[in-house]
Structure formats: structure tokens, C-alpha cells
Amino acid sequence: MNDTSTLKPGHIQGETGIWEMVIGLEIHAQISSKSKLFSGASASFGSEANRNVSLVDAAMPGMLPVINEFCVEQAVKTGLALNAKINNVSVFDRKNYFYADLPQGYQISQFTKPIVGEGEIIVDLDDGEQTTIGIERLHLEQDAGKSLHDQHPTKSYIDLNRTGVALMEIVSKPDIRSPQEAGAYVKKIRSILRYIGACDGNMEEGSLRADCNVSVRKSGEEFGTRCEIKNLNSIRFIIQAIQSEAERQVDILEEGGTIDQETRLFDTSTGETRSMRSKEDAHDYRYFPDPDLLPLEFTESWVQDIKEKLPELPDSLKKRLVKDFGITSYDASILVEEKDYVDFYQQAANGRDGKLTANWMITELFGALKKDNLSFSESPITSENLGELISLISNGTISGKIAKEVFSEMMKSKKSPSEIVKEKGLEQVSDDSEILKLIDQVISDNQDKVNEYLSGKDKLFGFFVGQVMKLSQGKANPGVVNKLLKEKLK
Ligand code: ADP
Ligand code: MG
């Protein structure tokens, strides 16, 4: 109906004009801790149902929660990595609601005094641009159990393994303006969490999931009423869900309707959101401080110690890669997404052409892994071998074209590039006399074309280069071929 080709991401063309999105995310990140937030039971994923349940998790009468210091430290570490304010006094509250997978009848969370306050992160967008997104707060809370509805025709079962597992809820400010920005924000948070080891960021296993709050407005207007889409566990779904939810809201508003504040679910099969509960059905959680737990109090020096032990984070590493290796800031932002990528890159590029290495890693290696459905850690090509390939190209042993052939052989056989080059005799030929032999052959085979060329048909030069390369089976050094051909065909 409308020309949408010029619309910016996050903008929707309606009959009455352009609408823009306002988005805020609540990310639930499971802390990489062996034991739960308030009990010693194992927090591991995938165990047999109800194997990892202590008396505290099962909420037996008289059981008392004991705070897991490691988890507290991870939350503080995360707060520091998000450039956020650490609250030296914070309080655990009971969030009361009744549900079968919550044996306590309340979730221990933090409400008015969270462990971490305001912060901000820089988010890298696909076009190489950056934007800053504010963090509202980060708090610690317990996860709930899981109802199993598919085990019995008429009954539901409960698995309490997840009950009491430590979560951090990271709440953004409503600063996000497009689904793509939301995706990039989650990517950046995940990357930071993985660098510092606070959360494994595994979205398939649910270690990281996001609730997305979405509203729309006309430019310059106040924020509209938001809807919250619950529990999205992939970046692709986050982007799809926000886009379709915003479009739904625009349709309603354009028809003169109003948005009801509600909680919605994303249906991955239809790509649309549907209502789960409206604000009227919203729980009154009757928050109050948990009388079983003292407030958390930190000394300045304890927090300082944690700060000093933080590893180098993606933003700083990115700047360093640009400076040390001369690569573009866009390439650097891809390489710093994962600590494993950076380590690999630095080893491969050490003492070599940084740009060439980045190109081969991002385009060829990432592309080949994706094609073969392999994760990065399963790469058949090691950093040493990619580095060696770069050296072989840079010192003229093989041409870029032959390098691709060697590369696919490396993917298949895991052999080193020099081994492959030797075995297959792929060394580039740069020797003048050998190349001159090939040139003479091509000239005598194509006397008519030579005459055309000499009488002014300059375009034929490329044809001769191509013929010589072909005759050499791609091994002739194209630079030398060019030079010698020019002299020969004067
Ligand atoms: P609740 O407990 O009601 O979900 P929170 O404060 O935990 O409230 O989270 C609210 C989230 O909604 C935050 O991420 C915030 O940025 C976002 N948000 C607030 N107002 C709007 C709005 N008008 N449109 C979109 N997102 C919003
Ligand atoms: Mg919320």
C-alpha cells in the first residue's frame, strides 16, 4: 500500500503518518553458579526431574534461605561491566503469588532497593553506527520451577530442578527505538555477560531470555501505553515479535482504538503476539522485605576488588583491535562479540596483515562454519593454520584464488596450508622465465587476437592475462603476468 523502502527501522507508515516505536527490555540472565541462590542444590541444566531439589527449594516448613556469595559477586561484577551504580545496601523482598511451580508461595526478588542501579551500555548496530542504551536497574531473584503438561493425559507434573536457581533481571530504560536495536542490545548484554563469566548466555537452554515492552507514538509525542511480550529466547524472535506487536498497535490506534496495557505471548508459528493477561488481571504481588534475609551490605573495598579483577571488556578490546591491527570498527565489533573470536583473531593476525586476517576470518571462516553447521569451537581450522595461510598469501607463495582452494581443503582435512600447498603443488609461480614460457605459448596460440590488440583493441589485454592464468592452472603470479605481458605486447 505505501512505499516502505525509505522507512527507517523502528518506523511504521500508517494512513495518518509515520509512527515510531519505543522499546524497553527486561532480560533474565541465569547466573553461572554451580549451586542455587539460597540453597546448596545443584543448578545444572538437563538433570532428571526433581533431582536437584533441597529442602529449602521444596519450601519445607522451617527451612531458611542462605545467600550464595558467589551469585552476589556475579551481580556486582555485571553491574560494574554495565557501567552502573552498585548499591552498597540492597534488600530482598518477597513477591507473593500462588502457582503450582512455586512451592514457597512467593519468589524472593528485589523491589525497591536492587543490588545495582542506573547504568548504560554502547550498542553496535549493523550499519557500523553506535547508540547508547540506559540501564534502569539490575536485581537478583530466584527462578521458579516448571510445570510439565505433556507427561500425562489429565495431570500436570512439576519439576522443581529450576526452583531457586539464581537469576539477574536487567531492566533497560525505554531508550530502544527499533527491533534491530533491541536485537543488538541483547547481543551486547550477552557478550558482556560471557566475557565476565557471569552467565553462559545460552538462549536455547533459556539461560538468557527477554521480556520486551513495546509502545508506539507519533514523533515528539509522549510515550504511549505499552504491552509486554514475555519470555523470548532468541534474537530473531525478539526482532519479529517487536515488529509485529508494534504493527498491531498502529492498526488499533489508526482505527481510533486504544491500547490496553497487557502481557502478551509471541507465537513463533504465526509470527504474531496474542494476549496472555490484561492489566486488570495483573497480580498484586504484596511485596515486603523478606524477614528471613538480612539486607546485603558491601564495603567500598570489596566492590573495588571485584572491579580490579574485571577482564578487558568488548568496547575497550574493540578500540585496541582497530588501533593495533588497522581494521575497521565494524569488523572489530564482529570480532569482539565473543572472547573466543578475539583470541583466535589475535593469534592468527599476530605479526601479519591484520585486515587480510580479519577478512579471511569473518568472510571465509565464519561463512564456511555456517555452511557446514559447525560452531566456532568446532572449527577444523586453527588460528595457527589460518595465520599460516595469511602468510602464504602475503609472501606471494600462493595467490588469493588458490588460497580459497587451500582453505576449503583445510576445512575438509584439517591439514596445515603449507602441507596442502606442497602436496598439491600449488605454489605460485613468480619466476620470470617460467611465466615468459607461458606467455609465448599464449601468443603463438592466439596470433589473430595479438594483431587485433596491436592495432588498438586494448580491451583484449584482460583476455591474454586470463589465458596465461588458465595455462598455469591459476598458479602464475598475476602481478608478474601483467608486467611481463605489457612488455611483450608493446
Ligand atoms: P513491570 O514490572 O511493570 O514490567 P518494570 O519497571 O520491571 O515494570 O519494567 C518496565 C519496562 O518497560 C522497562 O524496561 C521500561 O524501559 C519499559 N517501558 C516503560 N515504559 C514504556 C513505554 N511507554 N513503552 C515501551 N517500554 C516502556
Ligand atoms: Mg516486568
Side-chain angles (χ1 to χ4, degrees):
M1 117 195 124
N2 287 296
D3 175 25
T4 54
S5 57
T6 53
L7 273 184
K8 282 206 258 174
H11 283 188
I12 294 173
Q13 178 74 59
E15 299 293 342
T16 62
I18 290 177
W19 296 83
E20 61 181 45
M21 305 181 195
V22 173
I23 303 155
L25 260 50
E26 297 158 76
I27 291 181
H28 293 267
Q30 183 181 327
I31 296 176
S32 302
S33 162
K34 290 208 169 71
S35 53
K36 297 184 178 179
L37 184 55
F38 298 111
S39 86
S42 165
S44 73
F45 178 83
S47 306
E48 202 184 321
N50 296 307
R51 282 299 133 134
N52 307 330
V53 187
S54 77
L55 295 173
V56 175
D57 308 322
M60 289 298 159
M63 293 298 122
L64 290 175
V66 177
I67 185 75
N68 177 336
E69 186 179 342
F70 177 79
C71 293
V72 174
E73 205 176 312
Q74 303 314 301
V76 170
K77 208 159 80 173
T78 306
L80 292 167
L82 299 178
N83 308 302
K85 180 174 180 297
I86 307 302
N87 292 326
N88 286 351
V89 178
S90 65
V91 172
F92 286 108
D93 296 289
R94 288 187 181 179
K95 179 178 180 178
N96 299 279
Y97 64 97
F98 179 77
Y99 201 73
D101 63 17
L102 188 75
Q104 286 170 154
Y106 57 84
Q107 177 194 28
I108 305 179
S109 180
Q110 297 188 301
F111 190 48
T112 52
K113 290 189 180 134
I115 185 166
V116 175
E118 291 183 322
E120 60 178 33
I121 61 165
I122 295 169
V123 168
D124 303 285
L125 304 174
D126 276 345
D127 53 10
E129 298 279 302
Q130 293 186 326
T131 181
T132 302
I133 307 291
I135 305 289
E136 180 67 43
R137 58 190 265 148
L138 176 157
H139 64 254
L140 276 168
E141 62 184 30
Q142 319 172 278
D143 207 344
K146 196 169 145 193
S147 308
L148 308 171
H149 301 296
D150 54 2
Q151 309 284 310
H152 190 279
T154 56
K155 294 179 175 131
S156 283
Y157 289 4
I158 302 291
D159 176 5
L160 295 183
N161 282 346
R162 222 173 56 188
T163 308
V165 163
L167 300 179
M168 295 184 282
E169 177 167 334
I170 304 167
V171 183
S172 86
K173 303 216 175 213
D175 287 351
I176 300 166
R177 290 291 174 270
S178 72
Q180 291 72 16
E181 262 180 51
Y185 168 82
V186 175
K187 236 181 178 177
K188 189 59 174 276
I189 295 266
R190 184 177 61 184
S191 164
I192 292 172
L193 290 170
R194 288 168 59 103
Y195 267 67
I196 62 176
C199 166
D200 64 23
N202 190 329
M203 296 185 84
E204 286 106 71
E205 288 182 4
S207 314
L208 194 84
R209 39 194 205 261
D211 300 342
C212 300
N213 295 271
V214 181
S215 64
V216 297
R217 63 168 176 182
K218 291 275 177 61
S219 173
E221 283 179 359
E222 303 273 295
F223 286 171
T225 304
R226 69 184 155 107
C227 288
E228 178 175 351
I229 317 159
K230 277 278 177 208
N231 246 331
L232 293 161
N233 68 348
S234 92
I235 290 178
R236 192 161 57 92
F237 291 156
I238 288 172
I239 293 174
Q240 283 176 5
I242 294 173
Q243 182 69 32
S244 102
E245 173 58 18
E247 284 170 7
R248 185 190 71 90
Q249 293 181 12
V250 166
D251 286 346
I252 293 174
L253 293 169
E254 293 243 313
E255 280 168 18
T258 50
I259 304 300
D260 296 327
Q261 187 173 339
E262 52 181 11
T263 304
R264 301 180 66 84
L265 287 177
F266 180 62
D267 185 335
T268 53
S269 59
T270 61
E272 286 171 2
T273 68
R274 63 185 151 81
S275 182
M276 182 177 148
R277 58 171 182 259
S278 73
K279 199 185 176 191
E280 285 78 63
D281 318 322
H283 304 283
D284 173 5
Y285 292 118
R286 296 169 293 123
Y287 279 100
F288 63 86
D290 192 312
D292 291 339
L293 289 157
L294 289 169
L296 279 177
E297 290 186 38
F298 317 135
T299 60
E300 212 45 71
S301 68
W302 186 74
V303 175
Q304 195 56 35
D305 274 357
I306 295 176
K307 191 169 188 174
E308 275 156 23
K309 280 187 279 177
L310 276 182
E312 188 175 14
L313 294 173
D315 290 334
S316 143
L317 254 173
K318 181 177 153 187
K319 282 196 196 119
R320 204 154 58 75
L321 291 187
V322 170
K323 189 168 148 279
D324 293 355
F325 292 97
I327 60 177
T328 62
S329 127
Y330 179 70
D331 281 356
S333 67
I334 296 175
L335 293 174
V336 300
E337 254 170 45
E338 298 279 350
K339 190 72 182 47
D340 289 352
Y341 299 171
V342 189
D343 292 343
F344 186 107
Y345 174 74
Q346 285 182 300
Q347 279 157 18
N350 185 20
R352 304 194 173 94
D353 182 336
K355 274 189 190 163
L356 193 61
T357 313
N359 265 341
W360 275 86
M361 188 167 159
I362 295 170
T363 314
E364 303 300 329
L365 182 58
F366 287 178
L369 291 174
K370 192 167 178 194
K371 200 170 127 246
D372 291 355
N373 230 332
L374 295 172
S375 72
F376 188 68
S377 61
E378 293 166 326
S379 170
I381 296 181
T382 61
S383 56
E384 290 79 31
N385 282 348
L386 187 72
E388 200 184 300
L389 184 70
I390 302 300
S391 292
L392 293 177
I393 301 169
S394 296
N395 67 22
T397 308
I398 54 173
S399 66
K401 198 168 160 220
I402 294 285
K404 295 212 171 156
E405 200 181 316
V406 174
F407 180 89
S408 38
E409 189 58 34
M410 288 163 76
M411 283 296 291
K412 274 187 236 136
S413 69
K414 299 189 183 181
K415 285 186 187 156
S416 82
S418 47
E419 225 179 316
I420 295 168
V421 167
K422 202 177 276 156
E423 268 177 24
K424 302 201 158 188
L426 294 172
E427 282 99 345
Q428 177 160 263
V429 179
S430 301
D431 181 66
D432 280 13
S433 62
E434 280 196 48
I435 292 180
L436 274 174
K437 266 189 233 153
L438 300 172
I439 289 179
D440 288 340
Q441 171 88 45
V442 167
I443 286 179
S444 77
D445 287 352
N446 297 282
Q447 209 46 64
D448 48 339
K449 291 247 169 40
V450 174
N451 292 336
E452 279 178 55
Y453 176 79
L454 291 175
S455 60
K457 206 167 169 196
D458 290 348
K459 274 194 207 137
L460 278 172
F461 190 75
F463 165 79
F464 296 118
V465 176
Q467 290 300 305
V468 177
M469 292 305 293
K470 199 168 151 197
L471 202 57
S472 77
Q473 291 169 311
K475 289 188 285 185
N477 181 328
V480 179
V481 171
N482 263 280
K483 188 187 83 176
L484 294 178
L485 256 177
K486 277 216 179 89
E487 286 166 12
K488 209 53 195 196
L489 291 175
K490 251 198 225 137

